[in-house]
Amino acid sequence: DAKTTQPPSMDCAEGRAANLPCNHSTISGNEYVYWYRQIHSQGPQYIIHGLKNNETNEMASLIITEDRKSSTLILPHATLRDTAVYYCIVRVGGYGNKLVFGAGTILRVKS
Amino acid sequence: DTAVSQTPKYLVTQMGNDKSIKCEQNLGHDTMYWYKQDSKKFLKIMFSYNNKELIINETVPNRFSPKSPDKAHLNLHINSLELGDSAVYFCASSQEVVGKANTGELFFGEGSRLTVL
């Protein structure tokens, strides 16, 4: 699986958009980009995933560059409860392929 | 109802003991996983089972033995516990179907914190 690079930490003001970047310059054509988060003392939680196109769901938006070498997770209106470690993962789609978690980005949402 | 439940949530034991952590999911998924999160907070996959069949087995000591009595349960038994086994162990499940583009969405339990003294 391709490796990802994320900043170790970021701060965001409550109510503002949080934009979390991820570099995955060696991504292969059949690898998806996944985002998970882990709130303190809880299990990781799936947020969103995509292959080429931008994706949006009730939690976040995922913007993938045209060359697919980087992506950005956007939390449109961050709240204090969004303080967590955010993991960007690339993974081949399909049966039996594992999710490999890196160090992630610690997002601190401040009032 | 909790989707993925693990027991116990906390486990404190002595070196050399044998212990088990149980996991159950009520999502109807056919794939289950065990992940380990150590003190440095890295999450590492240990095992994955699909319909009771082992499909992922990372480089894990033989002292760790997963058991899947049915597709809704994946238990982790650890023999001869060592200090380095202290960690939080997470169970997860997903719906993975052979030959299909699966979503890769894993549902995690709340974790079981194991402390070996």
Side-chain angles (χ1 to χ4, degrees):
Chain A
D1 291 335
K3 290 186 177 178
T4 61
T5 305
Q6 300 178 250
S9 65
M10 293 181 65
D11 289 341
C12 177
E14 190 178 20
R16 304 297 292 268
N19 297 288
L20 292 99
C22 179
N23 284 325
H24 30 79
S25 58
T26 59
I27 193 170
S28 301
N30 62 349
E31 288 183 310
Y32 289 74
V33 180
Y34 293 85
W35 283 85
Y36 278 74
R37 74 180 183 183
Q38 187 174 22
I39 295 170
H40 181 63
S41 298
Q42 296 183 21
Q45 177 189 24
Y46 166 85
I47 300 173
I48 200 167
H49 78 283
L51 184 63
K52 295 182 196 176
N53 300 323
N54 298 337
E55 302 287 345
T56 295
N57 63 20
E58 65 278 2
M59 288 182 69
S61 294
L62 173 60
I63 309 297
I64 303 174
T65 58
E66 195 168 338
D67 63 8
R68 302 210 323 125
K69 293 186 177 184
S70 65
S71 60
T72 302
L73 178 75
I74 301 173
L75 307 178
H77 304 288
T79 70
L80 297 177
R81 286 176 294 181
D82 292 320
T83 294
V85 180
Y86 287 77
Y87 298 98
C88 170
I89 304 164
V90 294
R91 170 188 183 262
V92 175
Y95 176 81
N97 293 299
K98 56 192 177 187
L99 274 173
V100 178
F101 288 80
T105 295
I106 299 172
L107 175 68
R108 298 185 187 91
V109 180
K110 300 184 175 182
S111 58
Chain B
D1 278 348
T2 304
V4 181
S5 58
Q6 302 178 222
T7 55
K9 284 190 179 357
Y10 299 95
L11 187 53
V12 180
T13 188
Q14 301 286 331
M15 277 176 56
N17 284 349
D18 304 338
K19 291 294 178 187
S20 292
I21 307 172
K22 295 184 177 181
C23 179
E24 176 181 4
Q25 54 95 3
N26 62 5
L27 297 167
H29 291 162
D30 52 18
T31 303
M32 296 184 71
Y33 310 79
W34 278 110
Y35 278 80
K36 177 182 179 182
Q37 188 167 40
D38 59 23
S39 57
K40 294 182 180 178
K41 303 297 184 184
F42 284 104
L43 267 164
K44 294 180 182 176
I45 189 167
M46 301 173 69
F47 303 102
S48 171
Y49 270 74
N50 180 278
N51 264 322
K52 302 190 295 177
E53 178 187 349
L54 181 66
I55 56 171
I56 294 175
N57 185 354
E58 293 295 287
T59 306
V60 176
N62 292 336
R63 300 181 294 103
F64 290 79
S65 53
K67 284 187 173 49
S68 182
D70 55 61
K71 72 175 192 177
H73 296 83
L74 181 62
N75 303 322
L76 183 65
H77 188 76
I78 315 170
N79 289 328
S80 303
L81 279 156
E82 300 177 357
L83 293 177
D85 298 332
S86 295
V88 181
Y89 293 84
F90 288 98
C91 177
S93 74
S94 69
Q95 186 64 10
E96 302 267 339
V97 179
V98 176
K100 287 198 172 181
N102 301 288
T103 67
E105 180 177 355
L106 271 62
F107 292 78
F108 283 82
E110 291 297 301
S112 297
R113 181 176 293 276
L114 171 65
T115 302
V116 183
L117 302 175

